[in-house]
């Protein structure tokens, strides 16, 4: 009975740790990247899961990223801009797309001139 509880507990810990590794944001990883932690958790189920939970993951918000570490907070920060800031952002976006369109037109013209030669 004890071995069954230990086996089920280890399997539950493995599944929890693996799901946690897969769904964690990139800024939460310590020492290794997501793929490496996933392999450690899979290849060393009990030890890898414990290592992930103890040393592999930051548990708090990053202090150096401000509101832009968490996508939900970033969306909230963008959503509550003043109308002047929104208008300026729209203008910058329009200018960017106009520059990109101009670059594409010039590249097409250059390509056409090269193919004519």
């Amino acid at each position: 009975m004890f071995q069954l509880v230990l086996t089920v507990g280890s399997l539950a810990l493995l599944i929890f740790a693996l799901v946690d590794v897969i769904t964690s944001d990139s800024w939460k990883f310590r020492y290794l990247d997501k793929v490496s932690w996933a392999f450690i958790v899979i290849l060393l189920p009990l030890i890898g899961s414990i290592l992930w939970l103890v040393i592999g993951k930051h548990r708090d918000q990053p202090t150096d990223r401000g509101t832009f570490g968490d996508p939900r907070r970033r969306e909230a920060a963008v959503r509550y801009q003043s109308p002047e800031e929104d208008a300026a952002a729209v203008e910058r976006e329009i200018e960017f797309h106009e520059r990109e369109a101009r670059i594409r037109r010039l590249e097409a013209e250059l390509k056409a001139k090269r193919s004519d030669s």
Side-chain angles (χ1 to χ4, degrees):
M1 183 67 177
F2 178 72
Q3 189 168 358
L4 178 65
V5 170
L6 188 61
T7 304
V8 171
S10 296
L11 185 62
L13 182 62
L14 167 72
I15 292 170
F16 174 78
L18 191 58
V19 168
D20 196 31
V21 167
I22 292 169
T23 60
S24 291
D25 292 331
S26 62
W27 62 266
K28 289 186 177 183
F29 289 92
R30 272 199 260 172
Y31 306 113
L32 299 171
D33 61 343
K34 184 181 280 196
V35 175
S36 300
W37 276 114
F39 278 125
I40 289 172
V41 169
I42 291 170
L43 296 176
L44 305 168
L46 186 60
I47 296 171
S49 300
I50 292 171
L51 284 174
W52 165 249
L53 294 173
V54 173
I55 66 167
K57 181 179 180 182
H58 286 285
R59 298 286 174 208
D60 54 316
Q61 292 286 340
T63 56
D64 60 335
R65 296 179 189 233
T67 59
F68 299 108
D70 184 10
R72 294 172 302 223
R73 295 180 78 192
R74 178 176 51 243
E75 290 171 8
V78 170
R79 193 178 315 127
Y80 296 113
Q81 290 179 344
S82 69
E84 294 83 18
E85 291 172 335
D86 284 341
V90 169
E91 289 296 322
R92 285 192 304 273
E93 189 75 18
I94 290 170
E95 289 172 6
F96 170 78
H97 288 290
E98 287 174 348
R99 281 193 309 267
E100 290 294 314
R102 182 172 181 261
I103 289 171
R104 284 192 296 274
R105 278 193 314 272
L106 291 172
E107 286 175 343
E109 289 175 14
L110 183 61
K111 187 176 180 181
K113 285 181 182 181
R114 285 184 181 167
S115 66
D116 289 341
S117 301

